[in-house]
């Protein structure tokens, strides 16, 4: 190609999802499958979200409300905030990109841990923002002391995922409080709480970033996980209005679309679906723990809808991944997250969890 690409864009690789699951299922004669690789909701989608989307389709000839006022107001009311303190986006990953676009310029650095949500590293690269990474601790937790030690005058945004994906580990209230004391007011902390509903259900003492209300933090949450509408792409952020307002300026004019807005509006009322989801997750996590203990596996206690297991070597993980896949069990090897000796399994329906355990036992 004659047209020269910027160096940082040349280094990007597009997401390689592999063959679509539907195709793989059609090609194979599996007695059963277990789709446990993307931390999706195994209970389906909120039916209230569906009704709301169907109703919103009429009117799709008009552009949607660019301010998403109904959804922002509804989220704000639920969380005891004003709509000016809420932003909605094309999933929380869309908001992450908008945060970097809005706040990082020139030498401004993004500081985070390695072994976290892979998208943050990609968004930093797309925006040509220098990325500083601190290793996880030996027990796979965010090393907040080391992160705080790395703050310099160039640090603009700090990204923390709580609970962290792919490890499932939690940053406790106490750890977060002492960390935030060390962060200057000129640095924006992103508290990514994509798994918040699961975290709170698994540990009532889990830090609630919205309630903690730090003046220099934005809390990100999503409808993709607990409400089962990952494909509609709708997430939200909560922060003081001066942090929200630049995010409204950098977003696409009509982001998110009307169906995504409607899905979020409907989902928020679906307490029944949420309860069912949380109950399934809690039972699934406990089942995994008891089985992993019986098998003597080294798993990391999780505050989300997945569990990470340390298998010691990348070869062991890759062999397990391939063998499980050949049996219709889809889990996530974590080489892409810099943890090639670890494997992540999402909580599925009971039949999927049991099938995974059965096949894992046979293979091991
Ligand atoms: C920590 C974390 N943040 C954000 C997301 C993205 O969520 P969304 O679907 O809202 O973009 C994920 C998805 O897996 C995640 O694990």
């Amino acid at each position: 190609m004659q047209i020269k690409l910027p160096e940082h864009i040349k280094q990007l690789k597009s997401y390689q999802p592999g063959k679509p699951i539907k195709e793989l299922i059609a090609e194979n004669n599996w007695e059963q499958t277990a789709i446990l690789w993307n931390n999706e909701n195994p209970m389906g989608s909120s039916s209230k979200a569906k009704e709301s989307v169907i109703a919103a389709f009429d009117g799709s000839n008009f552009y949607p409300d660019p301010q998403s006022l109904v959804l922002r107001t509804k989220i704000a009311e639920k969380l005891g905030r004003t709509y000016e303190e809420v932003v909605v986006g094309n999933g929380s990953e869309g908001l992450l990109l908008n945060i970097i676009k809005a706040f990082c310029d020139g030498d401004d650095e993004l500081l985070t841990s390695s072994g976290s949500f892979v998208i943050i590293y990609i968004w930093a690269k797309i925006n040509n923002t220098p990325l500083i990474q601190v290793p996880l601790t030996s027990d796979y937790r965010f090393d907040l002391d080391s992160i705080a030690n790395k703050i310099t005058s160039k640090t603009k945004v700090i990204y923390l995922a709580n609970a962290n994906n792919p490890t499932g580990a939690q940053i406790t209230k106490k750890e977060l409080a002492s960390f935030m004391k060390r962060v200057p007011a000129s640095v924006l902390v992103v508290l990514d709480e994509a798994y918040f509903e699961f975290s709170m259900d698994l540990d009532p003492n889990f830090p609630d970033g919205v309630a903690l209300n730090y003046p220099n933090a934005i809390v990100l949450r999503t409808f993709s996980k607990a409400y089962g509408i990952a494909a509609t792409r709708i997430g939200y952020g909560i922060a003081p209005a001066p942090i929200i307002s630049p995010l409204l300026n950098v977003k696409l004019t009509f982001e998110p679309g009307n169906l995504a807005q409607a899905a979020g509006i409907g989902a928020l009322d679906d307490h029944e679906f949420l309860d069912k989801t949380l109950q399934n997750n809690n039972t699934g996590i406990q089942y995994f723990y008891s089985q992993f203990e019986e098998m003597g596996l080294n798993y990391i206690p999780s505050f989300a809808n997945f569990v990470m297991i340390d298998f010691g070597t990348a070869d062991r993980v890759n062999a397990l991944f391939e063998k499980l896949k050949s049996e219709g069990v889809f889990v996530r090897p974590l080489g892409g997250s810099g943890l090639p000796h670890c494997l992540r399994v999402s909580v599925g329906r009971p039949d999927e969890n049991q099938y995974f355990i059965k096949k894992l036992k046979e293979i091991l």
Side-chain angles (χ1 to χ4, degrees):
M1 185 171 72
Q2 297 288 309
I3 305 163
K4 197 166 173 280
L5 282 175
E7 248 345 282
H8 65 285
I9 299 294
K10 261 195 219 163
Q11 292 164 16
L12 294 168
K13 292 192 188 81
S14 72
Y15 181 56
Q16 300 292 338
K19 249 191 193 176
I21 284 276
K22 270 190 186 157
E23 254 177 63
L24 284 169
I25 292 175
E27 284 171 11
N28 289 278
N29 252 341
W30 290 313
E31 53 179 292
Q32 200 184 333
T33 54
I35 315 299
L36 309 175
W37 57 357
N38 283 330
N39 304 342
E40 290 149 338
N41 192 319
M43 311 306 285
S45 306
S46 149
S47 58
K48 290 214 158 106
K50 181 176 177 181
E51 284 161 24
S52 180
V53 167
I54 290 169
F57 187 78
D58 286 336
S60 292
N61 52 319
F62 298 115
Y63 285 105
D65 171 15
Q67 293 281 332
S68 303
L69 277 182
V70 177
L71 178 56
R72 286 169 66 206
T73 305
K74 197 158 177 169
I75 295 168
E77 278 168 3
K78 185 178 170 210
L79 299 175
R81 294 296 181 85
T82 63
Y83 78 86
E84 291 96 338
E85 296 167 298
V86 178
V87 62
V88 293
N90 196 357
S92 45
E93 66 154 1
L95 290 169
L96 275 173
L97 180 58
N98 288 347
I99 289 167
I100 299 177
K101 274 200 255 176
F103 289 94
C104 295
D105 184 31
D107 287 345
D108 293 342
E109 290 173 355
L110 178 86
L111 172 60
T112 188
S113 175
S114 61
S116 189
F117 183 43
V118 286
I119 296 290
I120 192 69
Y121 313 121
I122 299 171
W123 284 174
K125 182 142 297 265
I126 285 182
N127 200 55
N128 213 7
T129 298
L131 175 70
I132 312 297
Q133 293 182 61
V134 171
L136 291 169
T137 62
S138 57
D139 57 350
Y140 299 111
R141 310 189 68 233
F142 270 38
D143 187 344
L144 292 181
D145 261 344
S146 298
I147 295 179
N149 289 340
K150 289 273 182 196
I151 298 174
T152 67
S153 57
K154 288 188 179 167
T155 310
K156 193 58 164 297
V157 174
I158 297 176
Y159 173 80
L160 305 177
N162 201 23
N164 185 32
N165 177 16
T167 62
Q170 136 168 228
I171 298 167
T172 64
K173 261 184 205 162
K174 207 169 143 201
E175 288 166 339
L176 186 60
S178 40
F179 175 74
M180 289 305 288
K181 278 194 200 132
R182 296 185 60 188
V183 179
S186 56
V187 175
L188 175 66
V189 176
V190 179
L191 274 176
D192 185 342
E193 296 182 353
Y195 301 94
F196 180 72
E197 295 85 351
F198 301 104
S199 312
M200 267 311 205
D201 182 63
L202 292 164
D203 177 4
N205 262 327
F206 194 88
D208 172 343
V210 175
L212 290 169
N213 206 1
Y214 293 111
N216 57 334
I218 179 163
V219 177
L220 298 185
R221 294 195 184 157
T222 182
F223 290 97
S224 296
K225 311 289 177 184
Y227 293 98
I229 48 175
T232 57
R233 311 305 302 129
I234 185 84
Y236 57 99
I238 316 290
I243 294 174
I244 296 295
S245 136
L247 298 177
L248 299 172
N249 296 338
V250 302
K251 77 178 190 70
L252 298 175
T253 316
F254 296 109
E255 166 192 6
N258 65 332
L259 304 183
Q261 292 183 36
I265 292 166
L268 278 179
D269 290 330
D270 209 338
H271 309 294
E272 201 182 314
F273 181 79
L274 182 60
D275 286 350
K276 200 170 71 174
T277 293
L278 296 180
Q279 202 175 358
N280 179 72
N281 192 63
N282 204 310
T283 314
I285 290 263
Q286 302 310 328
Y287 171 69
F288 278 169
Y289 288 175
S290 68
Q291 294 296 317
F292 295 160
E293 269 157 37
E294 202 184 295
M295 284 184 260
L297 298 181
N298 182 13
Y299 69 89
I300 315 307
S302 169
F303 296 87
N305 64 347
F306 55 85
V307 184
M308 185 175 94
I309 310 162
D310 178 347
F311 280 100
T313 68
D315 284 350
R316 207 164 164 225
V317 164
N318 293 335
L320 270 174
F321 167 69
E322 290 301 335
K323 281 192 187 144
L324 285 167
K325 196 166 79 166
S326 71
E327 300 277 2
V329 177
F330 294 84
V331 293
R332 178 69 61 199
L334 296 174
S337 301
L339 300 163
H341 55 295
C342 296
L343 191 141
R344 187 191 70 197
V345 57
S346 312
V347 175
R349 297 182 311 270
D351 61 297
E352 291 181 295
N353 300 338
Q354 283 157 22
Y355 185 61
F356 158 67
I357 293 291
K358 180 176 154 206
K359 290 297 162 191
L360 185 63
K361 279 183 176 166
E362 283 173 16
I363 295 165
L364 289 176

